[in-house]
């Protein structure tokens, strides 16, 4: 596999496709120690003291960017934010030139979000091997830390992943969260059901070792976990479904649908949620929802990922 | 003066059904004949023992980029690359800036080619003014300026009405319309072929039917009008079938295959390497097999490269931002030998026909044969030499090739254009 060519690349996190089940479990285990770090009585740590981590976000993001920044600072790293607005990319500088300029400032890791699938991989080919690249979402390809925090949250609530039935609901075609979740969950032994309108579930998905369904009502009672993908209005380029209300009636998680689910079903949503579209407010704020735990767990998972990225780099130099 | 003897080579000229070991004589820039020519005295003798002597290769699908994008290629560098690859004639596409859509523009291309002095350049003219898809370009003027075919390559002719009229109008000049087959509504924002790989990588795909629908339309319009239509860079199994069916019905349609479409697949895009990105995109092994079958049964009668140079800084972009296309002139022959001759898909005469007389007849140009009296264009091929492709040695201005480092067989060792030896690697 081309992704594993060359010098020590193992410190990068480009996607869950390249990781083994054991490697994913190792990151989840590592994340356990970081839950709550820097909050309340739990002090900040200095695992990454002296490290410089750059947030390089070429696509609008608030939650992921803030989460990575906070995770880095709570481990003692110095961080800097770079987003294209007000920077030189608006003056025509290319993605690679921008990245190389930031690299020249002597950084240890770069957290990259980009609208183009494959952009983080491109960075690993052009930046010095000592710089770790962490994918914070590339096009519709992968969003590994989101999937890791989803899986971490499931494991936290259920104590395991293997044997659980997890549904990913909605826009699979444009969803990097779905792709990363499918890789991660199947590697850890979950049964994955992908459910959405036929226009947004490519027929090839059936070959990924998942079950494909289009009738949400049939799927709901079978699930231990239901992960409601956000309808990405900004990525829609045509008429994938006739109206938001029709989408909500066919694929939205409402209180009445919840009644048909297992009593302890876990409801996840990567957010930011469109209330009333993928999920109704009563479900989002109800006892089955783990949406806010996901946000908090996101910090712990990203601390684990950043530590893995920077510390392996250090070993590589020794 | 200037008489060349190519001695004792395997002379293959598909136009004459010729395949025999003999001598070939050139004099005064033209072919004198084969066998003994007692009235001629050679100024230069090239020993072709063990080598193949072919009519000069024609690549009828080349982007020379001049005028307007000289950072990618110029007519001088592109024709130098052609000679290096054993190609003696290129037809260049009109999607330049400005487009080749007037007599003056066509004449400029031919003038620049003469100044460069490397190989023959036959300009293709745009179908529509400025390639804007609104009204026909001045096709008569373009013909007067030397244009040999018409195409909006890079884009399809979107309007069926304009395509119909183009096919009718070009009949007056006995010129073909070359089709870049793609239904634009089905290909918005595409990065690669639609299929299992695009779905996995989260990249927008172009479905094969986008090509097939347009091929069907343009074959139907050729049938309606009696015009001559040539389908460029066929990439899909369905497209090959449509051409096969059209030809069986007697429609004046020909089809072209590019080396990348029968040697690479969409699986290569897993590397996110923009050197695997081109239009039309790489498809599946099933499509590769169908293109090979089409080459074998003659449905695809032309081999051409779609040589599409892009400066390195343009290709070193994110995959969806990088431009489409790869260079091809200097890998044309060895890739075809390695993937068509070596596995036994085609014989040498079959393959060389698709690189000589067949494109010459699509373009209606007097090239592609070694008949006595024709322009003395010859390519001498070493069929057995094995070598490794090294893009740093290329003459083209760009470096966007996915074949760098590939081990190949077969090489153009002598290129003669109009009786002038432009390249000679023999001692």
């Amino acid at each position: 596999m081309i992704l594993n060519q060359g010098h020590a690349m193992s410190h990068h996190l480009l996607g869950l496709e390249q990781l083994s089940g054991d490697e994913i479990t190792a990151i989840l285990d590592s994340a356990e120690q970081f839950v709550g770090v820097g909050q309340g009585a739990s002090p900040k740590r200095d695992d990454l003291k002296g490290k410089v981590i750059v947030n390089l976000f070429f696509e609008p993001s608030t939650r992921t960017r803030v989460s990575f920044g906070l995770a880095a600072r709570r481990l003692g790293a110095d961080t800097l934010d770079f987003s294209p607005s007000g920077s030189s990319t608006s003056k025509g500088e290319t993605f690679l030139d921008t990245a190389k300029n930031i690299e020249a400032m002597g950084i240890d890791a770069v957290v990259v979000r980009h609208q183009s699938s494959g952009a983080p991989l491109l960075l690993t080919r052009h930046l010095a091997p000592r710089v770790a690249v962490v994918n914070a979402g590339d096009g519709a390809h992968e969003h590994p830390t989101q999937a890791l925090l989803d899986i971490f949250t499931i494991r936290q609530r259920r104590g395991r992943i293997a044997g659980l039935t997890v549904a990913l609901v909605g826009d699979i075609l444009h969803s990097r969260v779905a792709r990363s979740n499918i890789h991660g969950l199947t590697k850890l032994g979950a049964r994955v059901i992908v459910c959405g309108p036929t226009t947004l579930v490519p027929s090839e998905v059936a070959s990924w070792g998942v079950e494909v369904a289009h009738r949400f009502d049939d799927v709901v009672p079978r699930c231990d976990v239901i992960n409601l993908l956000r309808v990405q209005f900004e990525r829609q380029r045509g008429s994938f479904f006739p109206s938001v209300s029709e989408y909500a009636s066919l694929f939205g998680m409402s209180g009445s649908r919840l009644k048909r689910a297992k009593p302890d079903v876990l409801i996840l949503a990567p957010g930011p949620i469109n209330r009333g579209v993928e999920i109704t407010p009563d479900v989002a704020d109800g006892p089955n929802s783990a949406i806010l735990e996901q946000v908090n767990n996101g910090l712990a998972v990203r601390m684990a990922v950043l530590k893995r990225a920077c510390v392996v780099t250090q070993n590589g130099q020794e | 003066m200037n008489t060349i003897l190519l001695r004792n080579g395997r002379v293959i000229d598909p136009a004459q059904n010729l395949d025999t070991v003999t001598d070939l004589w050139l004099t005064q820039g033209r072919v004198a004949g084969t066998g003994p020519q007692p009235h001629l005295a050679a100024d230069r003798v090239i020993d072709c023992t063990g080598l193949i002597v072919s009519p000069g290769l024609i690549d009828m699908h080349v982007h020379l980029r001049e005028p307007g994008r000289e950072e990618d290629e110029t007519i001088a560098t592109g024709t130098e690359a052609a000679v290096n690859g054993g190609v003696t004639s290129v037809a260049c596409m009109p999607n330049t800036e400005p487009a080749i859509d007037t007599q003056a523009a066509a004449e400029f291309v031919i003038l620049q080619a003469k100044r460069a002095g490397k190989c023959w350049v036959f300009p293709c003219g745009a179908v529509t003014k400025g390639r804007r898809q609104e009204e026909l370009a001045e096709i008569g003027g373009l013909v007067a300026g030397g244009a040999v075919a018409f195409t909006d390559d890079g884009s399809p002719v979107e309007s069926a009405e304009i395509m119909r009229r183009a096919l009718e109008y070009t009949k007056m000049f006995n010129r073909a319309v070359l089709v870049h087959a793609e239904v634009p509504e089905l290909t918005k924002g595409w990065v690669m072929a639609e299929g299992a790989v695009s779905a996995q990588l989260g990249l927008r795909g172009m479905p094969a039917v986008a090509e097939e629908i347009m091929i069907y339309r343009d074959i139907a319009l050729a049938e309606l009008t009696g015009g001559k239509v040539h389908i460029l860079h066929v990439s899909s199994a369905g497209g090959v079938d449509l051409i096969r069916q059209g030809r069986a019905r007697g429609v004046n349609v020909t089809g072209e295959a590019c080396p990348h479409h029968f040697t690479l697949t969409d699986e290569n895009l897993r590397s996110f390497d923009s050197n695997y990105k081109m239009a039309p995109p790489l498809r599946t092994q099933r499509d590769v097999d169908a293109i090979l079958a089409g080459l074998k049964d003659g449905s695809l009668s032309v081999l051409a490269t779609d040589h599409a140079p892009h400066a390195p800084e343009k290709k070193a972009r994110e995959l969806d931002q990088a431009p489409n296309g790869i260079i091809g002139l200097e890998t044309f022959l060895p890739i075809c030998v390695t993937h068509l001759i070596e596995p036994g898909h085609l014989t040498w005469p079959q393959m060389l026909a698709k690189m000589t007389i067949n494109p010459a007849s699509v373009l209606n140009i007097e090239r592609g044969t070694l008949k006595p009296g024709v322009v003395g264009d010859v390519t001498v091929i070493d069929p057995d030499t094995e070598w490794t492709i090294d893009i740093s040695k290329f003459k083209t201005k760009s470096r966007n090739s996915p074949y760098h480092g590939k081990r190949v067989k077969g090489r153009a060792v002598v290129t003669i254009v109009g009786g002038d030896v432009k390249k000679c690697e023999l001692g």
Side-chain angles (χ1 to χ4, degrees):
Chain A
M1 180 76 209
I2 197 152
L3 297 173
N4 293 327
Q5 280 177 355
H7 12 59
M9 283 185 65
S10 58
H11 58 306
H12 300 310
L13 181 66
L14 301 179
L16 298 193
E17 185 183 4
Q18 297 87 33
L19 297 188
S20 66
D22 286 347
E23 286 172 302
I24 292 169
T25 300
I27 295 172
L28 299 176
D29 291 347
S30 164
E32 301 280 4
Q33 64 183 303
F34 296 119
V35 176
V37 162
Q39 299 173 42
S42 176
K44 284 169 67 170
R45 297 174 47 147
D46 60 1
D47 304 59
L48 299 183
K49 197 166 190 304
K51 301 287 183 188
V52 181
I53 297 172
V54 180
N55 271 334
L56 190 56
F57 276 56
F58 290 87
E59 196 182 58
S61 160
T62 306
R63 304 154 53 102
T64 305
R65 187 167 50 81
V66 166
S67 179
F68 266 110
L70 203 51
R73 287 191 293 277
R74 283 181 178 170
L75 291 182
D78 293 320
T79 64
L80 73 102
D81 262 353
F82 182 93
S83 51
S85 58
S87 72
S88 43
T89 53
S90 52
K91 298 171 194 159
E93 188 176 67
T94 67
F95 167 56
L96 281 180
D97 281 331
T98 302
K100 282 181 180 171
N101 272 282
I102 291 171
E103 175 195 20
M105 297 172 193
I107 61 167
D108 298 283
V110 54
V111 176
V112 62
R113 155 77 59 100
H114 200 291
Q115 61 275 12
S116 301
S117 294
L121 176 63
L122 189 64
L123 275 191
T124 65
R125 292 197 182 128
H126 291 270
L127 297 186
R130 63 175 173 76
V131 178
V133 175
V134 175
N135 182 2
D138 62 327
H141 181 221
E142 285 232 34
H143 191 351
T145 58
Q146 178 67 48
L148 287 169
L149 76 88
D150 291 346
I151 295 168
F152 184 86
T153 304
I154 297 169
R155 198 176 79 158
Q156 194 179 48
R157 282 267 193 129
R158 290 301 167 85
R160 67 190 169 104
I161 300 297
L164 296 179
T165 298
V166 181
L168 299 166
V169 181
D171 178 356
I172 308 299
L173 182 65
H174 299 104
S175 176
R176 53 195 176 209
V177 176
R179 283 172 182 75
S180 290
N181 259 290
I182 290 168
H183 288 305
L185 288 167
T186 53
K187 282 175 185 181
L188 296 180
R191 175 180 182 78
V192 178
I193 304 173
V194 162
C195 181
T198 41
T199 45
L200 290 171
V201 180
S203 56
E204 294 83 4
V205 172
S207 67
W208 300 354
V210 302
E211 179 185 334
V212 176
H214 301 293
R215 292 171 59 94
F216 191 30
D217 284 325
D218 296 348
V219 168
V220 166
R222 298 168 50 205
C223 296
D224 300 302
V225 181
I226 298 175
N227 194 343
L228 300 154
L229 303 172
R230 189 168 63 90
V231 176
Q232 302 189 64
F233 294 104
E234 72 275 16
R235 284 186 205 281
Q236 304 283 347
R237 66 185 165 111
S239 45
F240 287 98
F241 50 84
S243 69
V244 168
S245 66
E246 180 157 317
Y247 180 89
S249 78
L250 291 172
F251 297 101
M253 193 68 205
S254 60
S256 61
R257 275 206 172 100
L258 187 61
K259 288 194 185 103
R260 306 184 54 252
K262 292 182 182 175
D264 60 348
V265 69
L266 189 62
I267 304 294
L268 302 179
I273 58 173
N274 302 303
R275 279 177 187 260
V277 183
E278 309 96 24
I279 188 166
T280 55
D282 53 325
V283 179
D285 303 330
N288 296 87
S289 164
I291 293 173
L292 293 178
E293 290 157 61
Q294 284 176 274
V295 175
N296 196 34
N297 288 338
L299 285 166
V301 162
R302 289 180 176 119
M303 285 186 228
V305 165
L306 291 174
K307 181 166 182 187
R308 172 181 179 270
C310 293
V311 169
V312 175
T313 303
Q314 199 174 44
N315 291 344
Q317 285 174 332
E318 284 162 4
Chain B
M1 166 70 222
N2 196 19
T3 296
I4 301 171
L5 166 59
L6 295 146
R7 190 165 61 198
N8 197 39
R10 176 182 171 190
V11 179
I12 300 176
D13 182 12
Q16 303 183 78
N17 250 327
L18 184 68
D19 180 2
T20 184
V21 175
T22 184
D23 297 340
L24 177 74
W25 292 80
L26 308 178
T27 190
Q28 305 302 327
R30 293 191 171 262
V31 175
T34 52
Q37 301 282 336
H39 60 289
L40 291 176
D43 302 299
R44 181 166 183 184
V45 178
I46 299 173
D47 182 6
C48 295
T49 305
L51 305 177
I52 288 171
V53 177
S54 165
L57 305 184
I58 299 170
D59 185 352
M60 67 167 285
H61 194 159
V62 171
H63 296 269
L64 292 177
R65 302 300 190 209
E66 188 180 348
R69 283 178 42 197
E70 289 82 357
E71 71 276 21
D72 299 332
E73 192 80 285
T74 65
I75 291 172
T77 58
T79 51
E80 196 177 353
V83 165
N84 194 36
V87 172
T88 58
S89 293
V90 301
C92 64
M93 295 297 118
N95 60 335
T96 49
E97 294 163 16
I100 309 300
D101 64 349
T102 61
Q103 177 172 349
E107 287 175 350
F108 168 79
V109 170
I110 291 170
L111 176 64
Q112 287 293 78
K114 279 189 181 139
R115 283 174 173 151
K118 300 293 180 190
C119 75
W120 306 108
V121 174
F122 294 92
C124 296
V127 172
T128 62
K129 286 196 180 88
R131 301 175 67 248
R132 283 190 300 270
Q133 308 278 334
E134 288 158 7
E135 51 186 337
L136 289 180
E138 289 181 354
I139 286 170
L142 280 158
V143 170
V148 295
F150 294 87
T151 181
D152 278 355
D153 180 45
S155 316
V157 175
E158 292 179 26
S159 154
E161 164 67 9
I162 292 178
M163 186 63 185
R164 178 224 171 125
R165 299 304 171 200
L167 282 164
E168 285 174 340
Y169 198 78
T170 50
K171 271 186 357 179
M172 275 199 292
F173 308 99
N174 196 15
R175 293 291 161 195
V177 180
L178 319 180
V179 171
H180 173 114
E182 177 185 327
V183 174
E185 298 91 320
L186 288 170
T187 62
K188 296 267 186 294
W190 72 278
V191 184
M192 61 179 294
E194 183 177 305
V197 181
S198 72
Q200 229 174 358
L201 300 182
L203 291 168
R204 277 186 191 168
M206 173 201 280
V209 293
E211 172 172 293
E212 292 154 9
I213 291 169
M214 195 59 97
I215 291 177
Y216 182 84
R217 185 198 79 174
D218 288 349
I219 290 176
L221 289 172
E223 194 165 18
L224 172 72
T225 59
K228 181 175 177 181
V229 69
H230 172 78
I231 312 299
L232 300 164
H233 48 44
V234 179
S235 70
S236 64
V240 178
D241 266 343
L242 288 163
I243 294 166
R244 183 178 291 122
Q245 292 160 20
R247 290 171 66 84
R249 289 203 306 278
V251 183
N252 200 347
V253 56
T254 49
E256 165 187 300
C258 301
H260 44 275
H261 288 134
F262 58 81
T263 58
L264 304 169
T265 68
D266 60 354
E267 292 287 339
N268 291 105
L269 268 304
R270 291 188 189 278
S271 65
F272 288 95
D273 181 343
S274 65
N275 285 329
Y276 295 104
K277 184 186 178 196
M278 68 285 291
L282 301 174
R283 300 192 189 277
T284 64
Q285 189 59 44
R286 183 179 153 265
D287 297 291
V288 167
D289 294 341
I291 290 167
L292 291 171
L295 285 166
K296 272 190 247 191
D297 71 15
S299 302
L300 302 175
S301 59
V302 171
L303 288 163
T305 66
D306 194 4
H307 177 80
H310 293 287
E313 66 272 18
K314 296 181 185 173
K315 271 293 199 182
R317 296 289 312 272
E318 304 88 312
L319 186 61
D320 57 351
Q321 305 292 312
N324 290 315
I326 62 168
I327 53 175
L329 282 165
E330 287 158 281
T331 52
F332 186 30
L333 182 66
I335 295 294
C336 288
V337 173
T338 306
H339 289 271
L340 298 176
I341 300 285
E342 286 299 304
H345 296 306
L346 297 180
T347 64
W348 275 99
Q350 285 169 335
M351 187 186 83
L352 289 176
K354 296 176 195 295
M355 300 170 139
T356 58
I357 190 61
N358 295 356
S361 50
V362 171
L363 298 175
N364 190 18
I365 57 174
E366 290 177 356
R367 293 290 186 281
T369 175
L370 297 172
K371 283 177 191 155
V374 304
V375 173
D377 295 349
V378 181
T379 303
V380 180
I381 300 162
D382 182 339
D384 299 317
T385 187
E386 287 189 38
W387 56 292
T388 301
I389 291 173
D390 178 359
I391 55 173
S392 71
K393 298 208 161 68
F394 282 1
K395 306 294 184 190
T396 170
K397 206 164 179 181
S398 292
R399 291 292 175 266
N400 48 314
S401 172
Y403 296 118
H404 179 61
K406 183 180 166 71
R407 194 83 185 144
V408 288
K409 196 167 184 186
R411 183 179 173 91
V413 289
V414 180
T415 309
I416 302 174
V417 181
D420 273 347
V421 179
K422 300 292 187 186
K423 167 185 172 164
C424 184
E425 290 181 353
L426 302 177

